Each structure stands twice: as C-alpha cells, then as structure tokens.
mmCIF file of all heavy atoms in Angstrom:
data_model
loop_
_atom_site.group_PDB
_atom_site.id
_atom_site.type_symbol
_atom_site.label_atom_id
_atom_site.label_comp_id
_atom_site.label_asym_id
_atom_site.label_seq_id
_atom_site.Cartn_x
_atom_site.Cartn_y
_atom_site.Cartn_z
ATOM 1 N N PHE N 1 0.839 -1.201 0.000
ATOM 2 C CA PHE N 1 0.000 0.000 0.000
ATOM 3 C C PHE N 1 0.874 1.251 0.000
ATOM 4 O O PHE N 1 1.829 1.352 0.764
ATOM 5 C CB PHE N 1 -0.850 -0.076 1.273
ATOM 6 C CG PHE N 1 -1.683 1.124 1.612
ATOM 7 C CD1 PHE N 1 -3.055 1.099 1.418
ATOM 8 C CD2 PHE N 1 -1.127 2.255 2.199
ATOM 9 C CE1 PHE N 1 -3.856 2.170 1.787
ATOM 10 C CE2 PHE N 1 -1.902 3.334 2.564
ATOM 11 C CZ PHE N 1 -3.281 3.283 2.344
ATOM 12 N N ARG N 2 0.552 2.171 -0.885
ATOM 13 C CA ARG N 2 1.079 3.532 -0.790
ATOM 14 C C ARG N 2 -0.102 4.495 -0.896
ATOM 15 O O ARG N 2 -1.123 4.175 -1.519
ATOM 16 C CB ARG N 2 2.098 3.819 -1.896
ATOM 17 C CG ARG N 2 3.426 3.089 -1.687
ATOM 18 C CD ARG N 2 4.368 3.270 -2.851
ATOM 19 N NE ARG N 2 4.840 4.657 -2.976
ATOM 20 C CZ ARG N 2 5.572 5.080 -4.009
ATOM 21 N NH1 ARG N 2 5.890 4.251 -4.995
ATOM 22 N NH2 ARG N 2 5.991 6.338 -4.050
ATOM 23 N N VAL N 3 0.047 5.651 -0.291
ATOM 24 C CA VAL N 3 -1.089 6.568 -0.230
ATOM 25 C C VAL N 3 -0.655 8.006 -0.494
ATOM 26 O O VAL N 3 0.412 8.450 -0.049
ATOM 27 C CB VAL N 3 -1.803 6.470 1.141
ATOM 28 C CG1 VAL N 3 -0.858 6.825 2.283
ATOM 29 C CG2 VAL N 3 -3.056 7.344 1.193
ATOM 30 N N TRP N 4 -1.510 8.700 -1.230
ATOM 31 C CA TRP N 4 -1.406 10.145 -1.410
ATOM 32 C C TRP N 4 -2.574 10.760 -0.645
ATOM 33 O O TRP N 4 -3.724 10.580 -1.010
ATOM 34 C CB TRP N 4 -1.476 10.516 -2.892
ATOM 35 C CG TRP N 4 -1.381 11.995 -3.125
ATOM 36 C CD1 TRP N 4 -2.421 12.884 -3.206
ATOM 37 C CD2 TRP N 4 -0.186 12.771 -3.287
ATOM 38 N NE1 TRP N 4 -1.955 14.159 -3.390
ATOM 39 C CE2 TRP N 4 -0.583 14.120 -3.451
ATOM 40 C CE3 TRP N 4 1.175 12.456 -3.309
ATOM 41 C CZ2 TRP N 4 0.329 15.145 -3.641
ATOM 42 C CZ3 TRP N 4 2.089 13.485 -3.494
ATOM 43 C CH2 TRP N 4 1.656 14.803 -3.659
ATOM 44 N N GLU N 5 -2.266 11.472 0.447
ATOM 45 C CA GLU N 5 -3.328 12.034 1.280
ATOM 46 C C GLU N 5 -3.624 13.469 0.870
ATOM 47 O O GLU N 5 -2.701 14.277 0.707
ATOM 48 C CB GLU N 5 -2.928 11.984 2.752
ATOM 49 C CG GLU N 5 -2.851 10.575 3.324
ATOM 50 C CD GLU N 5 -2.854 10.579 4.840
ATOM 51 O OE1 GLU N 5 -3.802 11.151 5.431
ATOM 52 O OE2 GLU N 5 -1.917 10.032 5.433
ATOM 53 N N ARG N 6 -4.897 13.769 0.736
ATOM 54 C CA ARG N 6 -5.290 15.135 0.371
ATOM 55 C C ARG N 6 -4.828 16.101 1.465
ATOM 56 O O ARG N 6 -4.959 15.843 2.657
ATOM 57 C CB ARG N 6 -6.805 15.239 0.166
ATOM 58 C CG ARG N 6 -7.620 14.913 1.386
ATOM 59 C CD ARG N 6 -9.112 15.163 1.213
ATOM 60 N NE ARG N 6 -9.798 14.823 2.464
ATOM 61 C CZ ARG N 6 -11.063 15.075 2.708
ATOM 62 N NH1 ARG N 6 -11.816 15.660 1.794
ATOM 63 N NH2 ARG N 6 -11.602 14.740 3.863
ATOM 64 N N GLY N 7 -4.252 17.183 1.025
ATOM 65 C CA GLY N 7 -3.790 18.191 1.969
ATOM 66 C C GLY N 7 -2.453 17.891 2.619
ATOM 67 O O GLY N 7 -1.955 18.708 3.391
ATOM 68 N N VAL N 8 -1.856 16.733 2.308
ATOM 69 C CA VAL N 8 -0.596 16.361 2.941
ATOM 70 C C VAL N 8 0.434 15.927 1.902
ATOM 71 O O VAL N 8 1.564 16.389 1.883
ATOM 72 C CB VAL N 8 -0.795 15.214 3.967
ATOM 73 C CG1 VAL N 8 0.520 14.888 4.665
ATOM 74 C CG2 VAL N 8 -1.859 15.580 4.998
ATOM 75 N N GLY N 9 0.048 15.013 1.005
ATOM 76 C CA GLY N 9 0.982 14.407 0.065
ATOM 77 C C GLY N 9 1.169 12.943 0.414
ATOM 78 O O GLY N 9 0.353 12.353 1.130
ATOM 79 N N GLU N 10 2.238 12.335 -0.064
ATOM 80 C CA GLU N 10 2.467 10.928 0.272
ATOM 81 C C GLU N 10 2.902 10.824 1.731
ATOM 82 O O GLU N 10 3.773 11.550 2.193
ATOM 83 C CB GLU N 10 3.523 10.297 -0.624
ATOM 84 C CG GLU N 10 3.668 8.803 -0.350
ATOM 85 C CD GLU N 10 4.590 8.062 -1.289
ATOM 86 O OE1 GLU N 10 5.297 8.719 -2.081
ATOM 87 O OE2 GLU N 10 4.600 6.819 -1.241
ATOM 88 N N THR N 11 2.288 9.895 2.447
ATOM 89 C CA THR N 11 2.621 9.650 3.846
ATOM 90 C C THR N 11 3.003 8.190 4.044
ATOM 91 O O THR N 11 2.795 7.351 3.177
ATOM 92 C CB THR N 11 1.447 9.999 4.786
ATOM 93 O OG1 THR N 11 0.321 9.170 4.467
ATOM 94 C CG2 THR N 11 1.057 11.464 4.654
ATOM 95 N N MET N 12 3.546 7.899 5.219
ATOM 96 C CA MET N 12 3.981 6.542 5.534
ATOM 97 C C MET N 12 2.805 5.595 5.747
ATOM 98 O O MET N 12 2.949 4.383 5.593
ATOM 99 C CB MET N 12 4.852 6.552 6.792
ATOM 100 C CG MET N 12 6.125 7.364 6.667
ATOM 101 S SD MET N 12 7.351 6.555 5.647
ATOM 102 C CE MET N 12 7.933 5.301 6.778
ATOM 103 N N ALA N 13 1.648 6.139 6.117
ATOM 104 C CA ALA N 13 0.514 5.292 6.443
ATOM 105 C C ALA N 13 -0.767 6.111 6.447
ATOM 106 O O ALA N 13 -0.740 7.330 6.606
ATOM 107 C CB ALA N 13 0.722 4.632 7.808
ATOM 108 N N CYS N 14 -1.890 5.407 6.311
ATOM 109 C CA CYS N 14 -3.210 6.046 6.396
ATOM 110 C C CYS N 14 -4.211 4.981 6.816
ATOM 111 O O CYS N 14 -4.450 4.018 6.080
ATOM 112 C CB CYS N 14 -3.599 6.651 5.049
ATOM 113 S SG CYS N 14 -5.266 7.379 5.029
ATOM 114 N N GLY N 15 -4.769 5.126 8.014
ATOM 115 C CA GLY N 15 -5.677 4.117 8.549
ATOM 116 C C GLY N 15 -6.996 4.037 7.819
ATOM 117 O O GLY N 15 -7.493 2.952 7.516
ATOM 118 N N THR N 16 -7.611 5.200 7.543
ATOM 119 C CA THR N 16 -8.863 5.173 6.792
ATOM 120 C C THR N 16 -8.608 4.673 5.369
ATOM 121 O O THR N 16 -9.434 3.981 4.784
ATOM 122 C CB THR N 16 -9.524 6.561 6.751
ATOM 123 O OG1 THR N 16 -8.603 7.524 6.220
ATOM 124 C CG2 THR N 16 -9.994 6.990 8.134
ATOM 125 N N GLY N 17 -7.421 5.001 4.828
ATOM 126 C CA GLY N 17 -7.070 4.535 3.494
ATOM 127 C C GLY N 17 -6.879 3.032 3.438
ATOM 128 O O GLY N 17 -7.304 2.369 2.478
ATOM 129 N N ALA N 18 -6.233 2.456 4.464
ATOM 130 C CA ALA N 18 -6.069 1.009 4.528
ATOM 131 C C ALA N 18 -7.435 0.328 4.629
ATOM 132 O O ALA N 18 -7.680 -0.716 4.004
ATOM 133 C CB ALA N 18 -5.197 0.635 5.719
ATOM 134 N N SER N 19 -8.331 0.922 5.406
ATOM 135 C CA SER N 19 -9.686 0.385 5.521
ATOM 136 C C SER N 19 -10.400 0.421 4.176
ATOM 137 O O SER N 19 -11.014 -0.564 3.754
ATOM 138 C CB SER N 19 -10.474 1.191 6.557
ATOM 139 O OG SER N 19 -9.847 1.168 7.822
ATOM 140 N N ALA N 20 -10.298 1.562 3.502
ATOM 141 C CA ALA N 20 -10.938 1.702 2.192
ATOM 142 C C ALA N 20 -10.350 0.729 1.178
ATOM 143 O O ALA N 20 -11.060 0.185 0.321
ATOM 144 C CB ALA N 20 -10.792 3.140 1.697
ATOM 145 N N ALA N 21 -9.034 0.482 1.265
ATOM 146 C CA ALA N 21 -8.372 -0.413 0.318
ATOM 147 C C ALA N 21 -8.895 -1.840 0.447
ATOM 148 O O ALA N 21 -9.125 -2.525 -0.558
ATOM 149 C CB ALA N 21 -6.862 -0.376 0.540
ATOM 150 N N VAL N 22 -9.072 -2.309 1.687
ATOM 151 C CA VAL N 22 -9.596 -3.665 1.879
ATOM 152 C C VAL N 22 -11.051 -3.750 1.420
ATOM 153 O O VAL N 22 -11.446 -4.726 0.767
ATOM 154 C CB VAL N 22 -9.440 -4.101 3.346
ATOM 155 C CG1 VAL N 22 -10.169 -5.421 3.604
ATOM 156 C CG2 VAL N 22 -7.962 -4.238 3.693
ATOM 157 N N VAL N 23 -11.835 -2.735 1.719
ATOM 158 C CA VAL N 23 -13.221 -2.705 1.227
ATOM 159 C C VAL N 23 -13.241 -2.780 -0.300
ATOM 160 O O VAL N 23 -14.002 -3.543 -0.899
ATOM 161 C CB VAL N 23 -13.953 -1.442 1.721
ATOM 162 C CG1 VAL N 23 -15.296 -1.276 1.017
ATOM 163 C CG2 VAL N 23 -14.157 -1.511 3.237
ATOM 164 N N ALA N 24 -12.376 -1.995 -0.937
ATOM 165 C CA ALA N 24 -12.307 -1.993 -2.397
ATOM 166 C C ALA N 24 -11.901 -3.361 -2.933
ATOM 167 O O ALA N 24 -12.420 -3.840 -3.941
ATOM 168 C CB ALA N 24 -11.333 -0.920 -2.882
ATOM 169 N N GLY N 25 -10.954 -4.012 -2.240
ATOM 170 C CA GLY N 25 -10.528 -5.334 -2.661
ATOM 171 C C GLY N 25 -11.645 -6.356 -2.575
ATOM 172 O O GLY N 25 -11.799 -7.214 -3.454
ATOM 173 N N VAL N 26 -12.442 -6.262 -1.513
ATOM 174 C CA VAL N 26 -13.583 -7.166 -1.358
ATOM 175 C C VAL N 26 -14.628 -6.896 -2.442
ATOM 176 O O VAL N 26 -15.174 -7.827 -3.049
ATOM 177 C CB VAL N 26 -14.195 -7.023 0.051
ATOM 178 C CG1 VAL N 26 -15.469 -7.847 0.168
ATOM 179 C CG2 VAL N 26 -13.196 -7.445 1.123
ATOM 180 N N LEU N 27 -14.908 -5.621 -2.698
ATOM 181 C CA LEU N 27 -15.897 -5.267 -3.719
ATOM 182 C C LEU N 27 -15.486 -5.760 -5.104
ATOM 183 O O LEU N 27 -16.337 -6.104 -5.933
ATOM 184 C CB LEU N 27 -16.095 -3.752 -3.753
ATOM 185 C CG LEU N 27 -16.754 -3.120 -2.520
ATOM 186 C CD1 LEU N 27 -16.758 -1.598 -2.648
ATOM 187 C CD2 LEU N 27 -18.171 -3.630 -2.325
ATOM 188 N N ASN N 28 -14.178 -5.814 -5.345
ATOM 189 C CA ASN N 28 -13.670 -6.303 -6.629
ATOM 190 C C ASN N 28 -13.411 -7.809 -6.632
ATOM 191 O O ASN N 28 -12.875 -8.344 -7.601
ATOM 192 C CB ASN N 28 -12.384 -5.551 -6.998
ATOM 193 C CG ASN N 28 -12.660 -4.163 -7.545
ATOM 194 O OD1 ASN N 28 -12.991 -3.997 -8.711
ATOM 195 N ND2 ASN N 28 -12.541 -3.153 -6.685
ATOM 196 N N LYS N 29 -13.786 -8.458 -5.509
ATOM 197 C CA LYS N 29 -13.711 -9.928 -5.405
ATOM 198 C C LYS N 29 -12.282 -10.477 -5.535
ATOM 199 O O LYS N 29 -12.067 -11.569 -6.069
ATOM 200 C CB LYS N 29 -14.632 -10.599 -6.430
ATOM 201 C CG LYS N 29 -16.101 -10.251 -6.259
ATOM 202 C CD LYS N 29 -16.970 -10.961 -7.276
ATOM 203 C CE LYS N 29 -18.451 -10.803 -7.086
ATOM 204 N NZ LYS N 29 -18.954 -9.691 -6.335
ATOM 205 N N ASN N 30 -11.305 -9.719 -5.047
ATOM 206 C CA ASN N 30 -9.928 -10.216 -5.108
ATOM 207 C C ASN N 30 -9.198 -10.138 -3.770
ATOM 208 O O ASN N 30 -7.976 -10.293 -3.718
ATOM 209 C CB ASN N 30 -9.125 -9.475 -6.192
ATOM 210 C CG ASN N 30 -9.205 -7.961 -6.074
ATOM 211 O OD1 ASN N 30 -9.455 -7.435 -4.992
ATOM 212 N ND2 ASN N 30 -9.000 -7.267 -7.177
ATOM 213 N N LEU N 31 -9.953 -9.923 -2.660
ATOM 214 C CA LEU N 31 -9.311 -9.795 -1.356
ATOM 215 C C LEU N 31 -10.265 -10.283 -0.269
ATOM 216 O O LEU N 31 -11.480 -10.082 -0.357
ATOM 217 C CB LEU N 31 -8.926 -8.336 -1.097
ATOM 218 C CG LEU N 31 -7.944 -8.057 0.041
ATOM 219 C CD1 LEU N 31 -6.588 -8.717 -0.229
ATOM 220 C CD2 LEU N 31 -7.756 -6.558 0.232
ATOM 221 N N SER N 32 -9.695 -10.914 0.763
ATOM 222 C CA SER N 32 -10.479 -11.364 1.903
ATOM 223 C C SER N 32 -10.908 -10.168 2.759
ATOM 224 O O SER N 32 -10.163 -9.188 2.869
ATOM 225 C CB SER N 32 -9.639 -12.325 2.753
ATOM 226 O OG SER N 32 -10.210 -12.516 4.036
ATOM 227 N N PRO N 33 -12.076 -10.253 3.407
ATOM 228 C CA PRO N 33 -12.492 -9.158 4.301
ATOM 229 C C PRO N 33 -11.683 -9.089 5.591
ATOM 230 O O PRO N 33 -11.875 -8.170 6.379
ATOM 231 C CB PRO N 33 -13.967 -9.480 4.585
ATOM 232 C CG PRO N 33 -14.102 -10.937 4.312
ATOM 233 C CD PRO N 33 -13.126 -11.263 3.237
ATOM 234 N N ASP N 34 -10.795 -10.041 5.831
ATOM 235 C CA ASP N 34 -9.863 -10.004 6.960
ATOM 236 C C ASP N 34 -8.460 -10.080 6.371
ATOM 237 O O ASP N 34 -7.974 -11.161 6.014
ATOM 238 C CB ASP N 34 -10.121 -11.173 7.913
ATOM 239 C CG ASP N 34 -9.274 -11.095 9.188
ATOM 240 O OD1 ASP N 34 -8.329 -10.277 9.234
ATOM 241 O OD2 ASP N 34 -9.555 -11.852 10.128
ATOM 242 N N SER N 35 -7.812 -8.924 6.224
ATOM 243 C CA SER N 35 -6.550 -8.864 5.490
ATOM 244 C C SER N 35 -5.512 -8.002 6.208
ATOM 245 O O SER N 35 -5.857 -7.146 7.039
ATOM 246 C CB SER N 35 -6.775 -8.305 4.078
ATOM 247 O OG SER N 35 -7.495 -9.226 3.276
ATOM 248 N N ILE N 36 -4.256 -8.236 5.862
ATOM 249 C CA ILE N 36 -3.140 -7.444 6.370
ATOM 250 C C ILE N 36 -2.711 -6.451 5.289
ATOM 251 O O ILE N 36 -2.511 -6.835 4.127
ATOM 252 C CB ILE N 36 -1.951 -8.341 6.749
ATOM 253 C CG1 ILE N 36 -2.357 -9.322 7.848
ATOM 254 C CG2 ILE N 36 -0.765 -7.488 7.199
ATOM 255 C CD1 ILE N 36 -2.777 -8.672 9.148
ATOM 256 N N VAL N 37 -2.573 -5.207 5.687
ATOM 257 C CA VAL N 37 -2.128 -4.150 4.782
ATOM 258 C C VAL N 37 -0.702 -3.771 5.162
ATOM 259 O O VAL N 37 -0.449 -3.351 6.302
ATOM 260 C CB VAL N 37 -3.055 -2.922 4.857
ATOM 261 C CG1 VAL N 37 -2.592 -1.855 3.868
ATOM 262 C CG2 VAL N 37 -4.507 -3.319 4.581
#
C-alpha cells in the first residue's frame, strides 16, 4: 500500500485509506475481508 493524502501528500501510512483499500478489494472480489495491509 502507498497513499497520497489530500492536503498532505504521500505519507507513511493512512488508517482510513487502509480500511478503504480492503473494502475496495472485497468489492472487486480479489481480497479477503480479513486482510493485512
């Protein structure tokens, strides 16, 4: 995972972004709903 945060730029981590990434993976049927980011 890499993230570009609005108002900040690239950061080392983003918790809401990691959450959104797993949700997106599940919606696209390529990731488990219990995953490590």
Side-chain angles (χ1 to χ4, degrees):
F1 173 105
R2 288 174 68 187
V3 60
W4 180 269
E5 292 197 56
R6 61 174 181 171
V8 183
E10 185 174 10
T11 61
M12 298 287 284
C14 176
T16 55
S19 302
V22 171
V23 170
V26 174
L27 293 175
N28 282 279
K29 299 181 173 22
N30 52 25
L31 195 62
S32 165
D34 186 348
S35 291
I36 299 298
V37 182

